[in-house]
């Protein structure tokens, strides 16, 4: 004989037990703030990338000096190179595609190494020197110029020698060394072309012919 067991009936009025409800925490407002912050940073990063690309697209190939170039210098291809940069519309420059076109032209103003070669600073030999400037030639004996002096240097021309000037002391005039080459006739001597003010040209030329000038290299913004 098989015995069976019958579960007791549920009592009236008592609900059946339900499994506990599991609630997933959403994190509330704090979690949404973090999501919003992440979205903002992602958007900002994307916009920053777009702006950076736009700035790269704004760069232009321009011709710059591959070394310090003095006013009056006749440009050669080795004097020039191309640089990619963002350049203002109000700055005069030569486009990279025209670099070979300006070879042989004369600079009417000095350009430092890496500086943009300005379209407005180019001319022919007929346009140099400018109206208020003059070129003076001089042969300088050893000891009358620094041994390291080179073309493009800013100098103070000291005028004075065996006799005193009218003012009773040597006079100084600012100038720029356009060229400097060894004198084949005298060892250690050099021949120099000096770019000077038109007002000083006659005095410097007269003193140079008499061998009464010396050159002192000065800072580009230095005084006499």
């Amino acid at each position: 004989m098989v015995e069976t067991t019958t579960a007791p009936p549920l009592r009236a009025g008592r609900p059946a037990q339900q499994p506990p409800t599991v609630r997933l925490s959403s994190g509330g407002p704090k979690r949404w703030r973090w999501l919003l912050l992440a979205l903002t940073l992602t958007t900002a990063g994307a916009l920053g990338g777009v702006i950076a690309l736009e700035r790269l697209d704004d760069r232009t190939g321009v011709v710059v000096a591959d070394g310090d170039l003095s006013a009056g210098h006749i440009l050669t291809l080795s004097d020039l190179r191309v640089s990619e940069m963002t350049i203002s519309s109000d700055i005069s420059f030569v486009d990279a595609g025209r670099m070979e076109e300006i070879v042989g032209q004369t600079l009417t103003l000095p350009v430092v190494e890496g500086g943009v070669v300005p379209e407005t600073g180019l001319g022919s030999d007929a346009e140099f020197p400018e109206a208020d400037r003059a070129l003076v030639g001089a042969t300088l004996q050893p000891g009358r110029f620094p041994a390291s002096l080179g073309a493009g240097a800013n100098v103070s021309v000291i005028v004075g020698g065996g006799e005193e000037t009218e003012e009773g002391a040597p006079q100084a005039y600012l100038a720029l060394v356009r060229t400097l080459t060894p004198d084949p006739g005298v060892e250690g001597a050099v021949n120099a072309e000096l770019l000077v003010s038109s007002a000083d040209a006659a005095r410097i030329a007269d003193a140079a012919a008499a061998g009464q000038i010396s050159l002192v290299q000065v800072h580009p913004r230095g005084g006499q």
Side-chain angles (χ1 to χ4, degrees):
M1 181 175 180
V2 179
E3 293 183 0
T4 59
T5 303
T6 304
L10 295 175
R11 294 182 180 179
R14 184 177 181 180
Q17 291 184 354
Q18 299 293 330
T21 302
V22 178
R23 293 185 178 180
L24 298 176
S25 175
S26 64
K30 182 182 291 185
R31 182 167 180 264
W32 286 108
R33 285 198 297 270
W34 283 109
L35 288 174
L36 182 60
L37 177 60
L39 180 61
T40 301
L41 292 175
T42 301
T43 304
L47 288 175
V50 171
I51 292 172
L53 288 174
E54 288 179 349
R55 288 181 176 175
L56 285 175
D57 290 340
D58 287 342
R59 294 190 305 174
T60 303
V62 301
V63 178
V64 300
D66 200 31
D68 293 340
L69 304 176
S70 61
H73 180 77
I74 299 175
L75 294 173
T76 65
L77 199 57
S78 61
D79 294 325
L80 310 170
R81 59 183 172 86
V82 173
S83 179
E84 296 284 337
M85 62 179 68
T86 301
I87 194 162
S88 174
S89 60
D90 59 350
I91 294 178
S92 176
F93 67 94
V94 178
D95 187 83
R98 296 185 52 242
M99 184 167 69
E100 293 187 4
E101 294 180 20
I102 67 173
V103 171
Q105 295 195 44
T106 302
L107 281 176
T108 58
L109 48 81
V111 181
V112 299
E113 181 176 0
V116 175
V117 176
E119 181 80 38
T120 55
L122 299 175
S124 63
D125 286 336
E127 297 170 323
F128 180 84
E130 297 170 299
D132 59 344
R133 309 284 277 174
L135 273 178
V136 173
T139 297
L140 303 169
Q141 301 300 318
R144 287 189 172 269
F145 60 94
S148 60
L149 189 67
N154 290 270
V155 296
S156 183
V157 181
I158 310 301
V159 173
E163 59 185 60
E164 293 187 341
T165 61
E166 294 178 359
E167 291 77 7
Q171 298 297 299
Y173 305 90
L174 289 178
L176 182 105
V177 178
R178 187 192 183 197
T179 64
L180 194 71
T181 56
D183 186 338
V186 180
E187 185 177 356
V190 295
N191 294 317
E193 276 188 335
L194 304 175
L195 187 64
V196 302
S197 167
S198 295
D200 302 332
R203 179 73 184 97
I204 294 173
D206 184 59
Q212 295 179 354
I213 69 169
S214 300
L215 301 185
V216 178
Q217 188 165 358
V218 297
H219 190 275
R221 293 186 295 276
Q224 295 183 351

